Amino acid sequence: MGLAKFWASLREREAGRFSNTAVFAPSEAFSSSEGFSDFDDSVQFKGSDLQAARVLERRLGRPPKRLVPVLMSVLYLLCMGVFYAMGVIAGPLVLMVAALIAFGTVLSAAYMRLRQHEERRSGDRQLRLPIVIASVVTLLLVFYLEPVTQIALAPFVFVSMAYGLLTLSRRAALLLCGGILGGYALVMLAHYLERDDSALLRLEALHFMALALALPAYVLLMGRVRVLHRLLQKTSHEMRTIAESARLDVLGCLNRRSILAALEEQKQLADESGIPLCLAVVDLDHFKRVNDELGHLGGDEVLRTFTKLAQQTVRTDDFFGRYGGEEFLLIFPATPLLPSLNSCERIRALVESHDWQEPLRGRVTVSIGVTQYVLGESVLEFFSRADTAVYLAKQGGRNQVVVQEPVGAFAPAAEDGEPQAPPHGYF
């Protein structure tokens, strides 16, 4: 009762309102029945990736979920501002609402900062019920201080409930619903005892009856939305898992389709931007002999170990995938020839020095051919040059990295005073 009198005194002082085999010739690497069809498919695959990227970009443009309560509060504050401008509520009430919103925002931010080591989504879910309760208490408090604000109470109660219903169980939502109706009834009783206004009591009783009928029905209907939401989340997670599995080879690196799609995409990006692009073909030496001695299971284990060694060396921006059998492709986006060559040498040295189990100790090596993309050439010409380099590496004794530079029409012109580079060299 004292709070109401204090509030009345403030009103009086207020004046206004207002994401196989050894080596084969380049012509065999991309046959018309296999290689080119893969590149055609890769373009479609790339298109779907670009579409997903656009969706992600649109989503990144949306406000983060943790800002939703702030936006809801700002809308309510704006509503109170309109009431103030129309002269139906006091200015101190608007200031009190603004202070409560600021206090709640700071408190929520502090809580999230204390839990920053945990998963953010978990923290957001745990905050939803307290946020809904705090919103409802604020709405009821403002309603108690200014009965005219009951016009805005019901809509914002539904907004607050909608924010929490996706994470609240039906039982908890119904209990919250009962608490809202109970609080509303207490405010009605307080108004009647303080003001002894039967007209106001009848008006508030009508609002209460409408809210008492609509709110439980809203909670029960939103239960179906909650089930659908969880089903969509599960389906979305399964689809992401399937999509990720479809991109990977059994060895854990990109599969043939994905690595070819990445090669086509990076070629187009290089053509558009002019940034350097390098490609390496990596082939395990004498792998047929390994299969003959250890069997296919043993050979698969060698491939799996090599994949892990290579992935320890490549950067997160590089693309490493299995082209077929024991042959792998390594794409170096935005990387000149020398750094790419050094990365390939590190892979070769790491495989050679690895502690392989007997009888493989000192016998597992790789031959690598690397080249740099020339603007305007086809993917086939680009790949064929890298494949020629790995062929030269095997002809030269294996266990080495060979760089093959473009010749003929695609050879880059040497600057004045600089000697022309040889067509290929050994590292």
Side-chain angles (χ1 to χ4, degrees), residues 19 42-58 247 261-262 264-266 268-269 272:
S19 313
S42 71
V43 175
Q44 295 177 348
F45 184 81
K46 170 180 171 287
S48 63
D49 280 354
L50 290 177
Q51 183 179 7
R54 294 189 188 102
V55 173
L56 179 61
E57 184 178 1
R58 287 196 296 268
R247 296 180 67 246
E264 177 69 29
E265 183 178 0
Q266 292 305 312
Q268 294 185 14
L269 183 60
E272 294 170 0

Side-chain angles (χ1 to χ4, degrees), residues 170-247:
R170 176 176 295 183
R171 177 185 175 87
L174 289 175
L175 288 175
L176 182 59
C177 177
I180 294 173
L181 294 175
Y184 199 113
L186 288 176
V187 172
M188 288 174 52
L189 178 61
H191 283 168
Y192 181 72
L193 294 177
E194 292 175 2
R195 302 168 186 259
D196 193 21
D197 189 338
S198 58
L200 177 62
L201 179 62
R202 285 195 299 269
L203 180 62
E204 291 178 346
L206 290 174
H207 280 269
F208 176 81
M209 182 183 66
L211 190 62
L213 293 175
L215 194 56
Y218 177 75
V219 170
L220 294 176
L221 289 175
M222 284 296 292
R224 294 180 178 272
V225 177
R226 182 172 58 251
V227 172
L228 180 59
H229 175 72
R230 291 176 179 174
L231 180 60
L232 288 174
Q233 281 188 321
K234 180 181 178 182
T235 304
S236 177
H237 175 72
E238 291 175 349
M239 290 179 65
R240 286 195 300 267
T241 302
I242 293 173
E244 185 64 23
S245 299
R247 296 180 67 246

Side-chain angles (χ1 to χ4, degrees), residues 241-259:
T241 302
I242 293 173
E244 185 64 23
S245 299
R247 296 180 67 246
L248 299 180
D249 187 86
V250 292
L251 300 178
C253 60
L254 295 176
N255 58 24
R256 178 189 179 101
R257 178 186 177 91
S258 298
I259 193 64

Side-chain angles (χ1 to χ4, degrees), residues 100 212 229 243 307 314 329 343 399:
L100 289 174
H229 175 72
T307 300
V314 300
L329 299 185
S343 296
N399 190 25

Side-chain angles (χ1 to χ4, degrees), residues 20-24 256 283 287 291 322-327:
N20 149 27
T21 47
V23 177
F24 40 90
R256 178 189 179 101
D283 198 299
F287 189 71
N291 269 338
R322 186 185 187 186
Y323 179 70
E326 72 276 12
E327 189 170 53

